[in-house]
């Protein structure tokens, strides 16, 4: 009886071991087939080496070789302006050919031409001025500067408030008028990087504008007060001309000119009294 029990136990252990071995072989074969399919899928995607950041890079930081690595990137999703050659990004090791960061670059983000300077160019606001554009500083405070919520890269509408005079230098009252729409900020005080994480109560903001726009802003700043109005990031509308005086603000309408007063007609005759010539009023015949 004991021999039969031992034989049954041995047969059971052998069957269990065989089942485990078969399951193991099946799982390994399935994993191998799955890995082969994945490798086949990867081989079907065309890739290209792209320069990416190895750490977070902030505005104004000098770009160094150890901050960049080349990784395989899907060719169909290549970002515009990405660097596919490390020697194009670093033309030489000379300090005069260094590049600087213009916008915050996150770790593992592809480096693009719009986010770094040209070789040998610094990260000042001159590198952010497009051809034909000029930089102009506007004095602001907590009221006129949108309570410190302005950032480089934002767009603002500029309003002028001041006294208006007629051709005879007579004051006609104070008005507020939209003088420029959608101008871009390139610096807030001395901060020209967009990676600002708190409100800044600025004393000046610098905008980029065409020379004729600069003339308008300079005249407005010297003759009245300029106030900024922040434009939404996704807003593509163009503000219409706004012109508001005190009467329009209160809904009083325009002042109608006084009706002309009819002058009374006076008839006279001229006569001489001795050596004196005098005009004597008479009743008009008609």
């Amino acid at each position: 009886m004991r021999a039969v029990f031992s034989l049954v136990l041995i047969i059971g252990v052998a069957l269990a071991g065989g089942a485990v071995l078969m399951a193991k072989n099946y799982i390994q074969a399935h994993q191998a087939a799955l890995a082969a399919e994945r490798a086949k899928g990867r081989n079907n995607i065309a890739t290209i080496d792209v320069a990416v950041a190895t750490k977070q890079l902030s505005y104004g930081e000098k770009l160094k070789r150890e901050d960049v690595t080349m990784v395989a990137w899907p060719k169909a999703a290549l970002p515009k302006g990405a660097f596919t050659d490390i020697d194009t990004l670093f033309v030489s090791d000379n300090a005069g050919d260094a590049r600087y960061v213009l916008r915050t670059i996150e770790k593992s983000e592809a480096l693009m031409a719009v986010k770094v300077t040209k070789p040998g160019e610094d990260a000042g606001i001159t590198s952010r001025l497009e051809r034909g554009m000029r930089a102009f500083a506007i004095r602001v405070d907590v009221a006129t500067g949108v309570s410190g919520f302005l950032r480089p890269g934002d767009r603002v509408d500029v309003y002028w408030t001041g006294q208006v005079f007629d051709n005879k230098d007579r004051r006609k009252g104070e008005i507020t008028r939209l003088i420029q729409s959608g101008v871009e900020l390139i610096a807030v005080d001395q901060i020209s990087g967009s990676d600002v994480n708190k409100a800044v109560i600025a004393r000046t903001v610098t905008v980029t504008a065409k020379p004729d726009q600069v003339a308008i802003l300079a005249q407005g700043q010297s003759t009245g007060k300029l106030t900024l109005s922040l434009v939404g990031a996704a807003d593509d509308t163009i503000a219409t001309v706004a012109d508001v005086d005190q009467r329009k603000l209160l809904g009083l309408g325009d002042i109608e000119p006084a009706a002309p007063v009819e002058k009374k007609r006076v008839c006279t005759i001229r006569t001489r009294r001795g050596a004196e010539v005098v005009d004597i009023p008479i009743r008009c015949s008609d």
Side-chain angles (χ1 to χ4, degrees):
M1 187 68 181
R2 185 175 296 176
V4 173
F5 177 77
S6 299
L7 180 62
V8 171
L9 180 62
I10 293 172
I11 294 173
V13 170
L15 291 174
V20 170
L21 184 61
M22 290 178 61
K24 181 179 179 181
N25 291 336
Y26 176 78
I27 293 173
Q28 289 178 344
H30 179 71
Q31 289 178 340
L34 184 60
E37 287 297 325
R38 288 176 178 173
K40 183 179 178 181
R42 285 196 298 267
N43 293 335
N44 289 337
I45 299 176
T47 61
I48 187 171
D49 288 342
V50 172
V52 301
T54 58
K55 66 176 184 177
Q56 185 186 63
L57 302 173
S58 302
Y59 171 83
E61 190 173 344
K62 181 180 177 181
L63 193 64
K64 300 183 287 252
R65 287 186 180 267
E66 55 265 30
D67 299 332
V68 180
T69 186
M70 303 298 290
V71 300
W73 196 282
K75 197 170 184 178
L78 183 66
K80 183 179 180 180
F83 293 93
T84 58
D85 184 4
I86 195 71
D87 292 330
T88 302
L89 186 59
F90 299 99
V91 294
S92 72
D93 293 329
N94 297 330
D97 292 330
R99 292 180 186 263
Y100 294 86
V101 179
L102 291 176
R103 304 178 189 174
T104 300
I105 302 174
E106 299 296 337
K107 182 180 179 181
S108 300
E109 181 181 350
L111 274 71
M112 294 179 287
V114 295
K115 292 198 172 186
V116 295
T117 65
K118 296 178 181 179
E121 186 178 61
D122 62 26
I125 63 173
T126 54
S127 63
R128 304 186 63 179
L129 290 175
E130 298 179 1
R131 185 174 181 270
M133 305 299 284
R134 304 292 186 267
F136 180 78
I138 299 176
R139 295 187 298 271
V140 295
D141 53 29
V142 66
T144 61
V146 200
S147 299
F149 289 102
L150 297 176
R151 301 286 184 275
D154 290 342
R155 292 182 300 118
V156 294
D157 293 337
V158 184
Y159 292 83
W160 175 83
T161 301
Q163 298 289 340
V164 176
F165 298 84
D166 60 14
N167 294 334
K168 297 182 180 180
D169 290 336
R170 291 178 299 191
R171 192 172 69 176
K172 298 179 63 177
E174 187 175 86
I175 70 168
T176 297
R177 175 174 295 177
L178 173 65
I179 60 173
Q180 290 297 319
S181 175
V183 294
E184 182 184 357
L185 300 181
I186 56 175
V188 176
D189 279 344
Q190 281 73 46
I191 302 172
S192 53
S194 58
D195 50 340
V196 181
N197 54 16
K198 63 180 180 178
V200 178
I201 306 301
R203 290 177 295 178
T204 60
V205 297
T206 305
V207 301
T208 174
K210 296 179 180 179
D212 57 337
Q213 293 176 310
V214 170
I216 294 173
L217 293 172
Q219 179 66 17
Q221 187 159 248
S222 64
T223 57
K225 181 178 70 174
L226 298 182
T227 304
L228 307 182
S229 176
L230 185 62
V231 179
D235 190 350
D236 58 354
T237 60
I238 299 176
T240 57
V241 176
D243 194 343
V244 179
D245 58 11
Q246 190 179 52
R247 294 190 64 84
K248 190 172 182 179
L249 173 67
L250 300 176
L252 300 178
D254 297 332
I255 300 177
E256 296 182 359
V261 179
E262 184 178 355
K263 293 183 178 180
K264 186 177 180 181
R265 184 180 178 189
V266 178
C267 299
T268 61
I269 60 172
R270 182 167 293 183
T271 184
R272 181 182 293 276
R273 293 180 178 175
E276 183 181 2
V277 178
V278 294
D279 293 328
I280 300 173
I282 63 172
R283 187 173 183 177
C284 297
S285 60
D286 56 351

